Amino acid sequence: MNALLKLTIRDILSLYAQKKLSPLEYWEVVEARVAAFEHQVQALYLYDPESARQQAKASTERWAKGETLGMLDGIPVTIKELIATKGHPVPLGSAATELTAAASDAPAAARLREDGAVIFAKTTCPDYGMLSSGLSSFHPLSRNPWDLTQNPGGSSAGAASAAASSFGPLHIGTDIGGSIRLPAGWTGLFGFKPSQGRIPVDPFFVGRCAGPMTRTVEDSAIAMATLSRPDWRDASSLPPNAFDWVDLDIDVRGMKIGLMLDAGIGISLDDEVRAAVTAAAKRFEAAGAEIVEVSPVMTRTMLDGLDSFWRARFWGDIETMPDERKAQILPYIFEWAKGGASVSGVEAVRGFNQTNEMRKACARLFSGVDAVLSPTNPIVSYPADWASPTNDPLKPFEHIGYTVPWNMSEQPAASINCGFSRSGMPIGLQIVGPRFADLLVLKLSHAFEQWTGGVTNWPEPRLTP
């Protein structure tokens, strides 16, 4: 792999500033990487290398004049397909969607463009973002670069595949139940779901967040300065912040950190995942933190209630769709959604009310700890062509027990690589902080990255031309 692709955003910007590398030269390296491996991982949608060259050329001219637009000027970026970009359709991962060009950039895309980022592609997702999988009725099957027979997870599937394939340093995903963290865990990345409203989204929905997926914690922190600027289109958008996003030093001595090894529901925890996460917790303990085992916050009632609510909501979206378009929806998703037809209004409200129960349970837990560590994913991997880790539309969310509560409680959470299975697949550690403590999660993640050596100590995905 070209050594430039291993550089951090800080390294790249430094070379730009020293005129030792131009944005156009860096883009050409990324373009060559995409040409070599995109046909294997199938991560990208609307890939436009010519537009990227023009953007990179314009950035090169700005750097030459000392008139850069922002911290990400000249940095290649992908954006998840669900995040609208002006003039492009938003298929929502489904062949059933009528393709209409978006009238404007969604908030994340707008912020990146304002700061001069080189937006070179959208990334794939499953139908309506409702799967933790690279399987879609619209996009080609996205695969995990660590093992092309395995799933990258989702719904930010293409973002994970692109990032793990080193298609540039920054990829933006979305997350409503784990859709940034789950694929980050399965592909060895750092994936950050900030507090609700920290990064504005449009359309807004309860629990829905956007966030960065990167090789290093600092790369995500740098991106947050751009992405976290407010936008009136998101009613949950938080006020402007004056955070120093790259102040990542922390002393964990005296912190009380919970270790949650039981999700309370769903797929049983794999022994290799348990061992890797327990070893990660010992790193924090060795640095002076108090590690206490904590009980799960999720219950079967909570997960089933959320499932009923999501089915009813989605069925309401597609109920009046013509039959010929319904037939184009991924069969797994349609089979799942049909269950919403029999959910009464009262049952849907009861299901939605379980999000409040999750919020209360999370608040109760954080009344006694400063942060929580857990697995990101309960298992190591699963086949690329499966729609979910169970591949059963009647049990679609058995893998999100560790991730979904923090969406509903609006708390920041990240996944960072903490080791590898015997089969060579990455294992993710989830780090969760109190509501609005986004910097704390980044600091704790950065500390862990420093203790372990991060990407400098991990192997690279086994892609070969």
Side-chain angles (χ1 to χ4, degrees), residues 240-273:
N241 66 79
F243 299 159
D244 182 353
W245 286 99
V246 294
D247 177 11
L248 297 175
D249 291 337
I250 189 171
D251 185 346
V252 302
R253 285 179 294 184
M255 289 188 68
K256 188 174 183 180
I257 299 179
L259 175 60
M260 184 185 292
L261 293 173
D262 179 5
I265 44 88
I267 299 171
S268 297
L269 184 61
D270 185 281
D271 288 342
E272 290 185 276
V273 177

Side-chain angles (χ1 to χ4, degrees), residues 310-357:
W310 277 348
R311 286 180 196 245
R313 174 182 176 269
F314 186 60
W315 184 252
D317 289 341
I318 68 170
E319 184 178 17
T320 59
M321 186 182 287
D323 288 344
E324 60 270 22
R325 283 179 55 204
K326 285 181 185 174
Q328 293 178 290
I329 297 172
L330 192 75
Y332 180 104
I333 287 291
F334 188 73
E335 183 67 23
W336 167 76
K338 278 198 309 183
S342 61
V343 176
S344 71
V346 171
E347 289 170 330
V349 170
R350 286 175 180 157
F352 178 79
N353 284 344
Q354 289 303 314
T355 66
N356 296 326
E357 295 306 311

Side-chain angles (χ1 to χ4, degrees), residues 47-108:
Y47 173 50
D48 191 345
E50 181 56 37
S51 171
R53 280 186 223 111
Q54 294 304 314
Q55 293 176 66
K57 183 179 178 182
S59 177
T60 297
E61 292 170 356
R62 290 193 295 271
W63 275 98
K65 296 176 183 177
E67 298 175 353
T68 53
L69 297 178
M71 274 294 290
L72 296 177
D73 204 322
I75 299 298
V77 179
T78 70
I79 301 174
K80 186 175 179 179
E81 184 246 275
L82 298 180
I83 300 172
T85 49
K86 184 177 181 180
H88 299 136
V90 184
L92 305 176
S94 179
T97 302
E98 295 180 317
L99 300 182
T100 303
S104 61
D105 286 333

Side-chain angles (χ1 to χ4, degrees), residues 189-209:
L189 301 171
F190 179 71
F192 183 49
K193 181 206 80 68
S195 298
Q196 183 82 45
R198 184 69 70 198
I199 296 176
V201 295
D202 179 36
F204 161 79
F205 188 72
V206 174
R208 184 171 185 252
C209 299

Side-chain angles (χ1 to χ4, degrees), residues 251-255 282-291 451:
D251 185 346
V252 302
R253 285 179 294 184
M255 289 188 68
K282 290 185 183 300
R283 293 271 192 169
F284 286 90
E285 188 173 50
E290 179 188 359
I291 302 296
W451 299 331

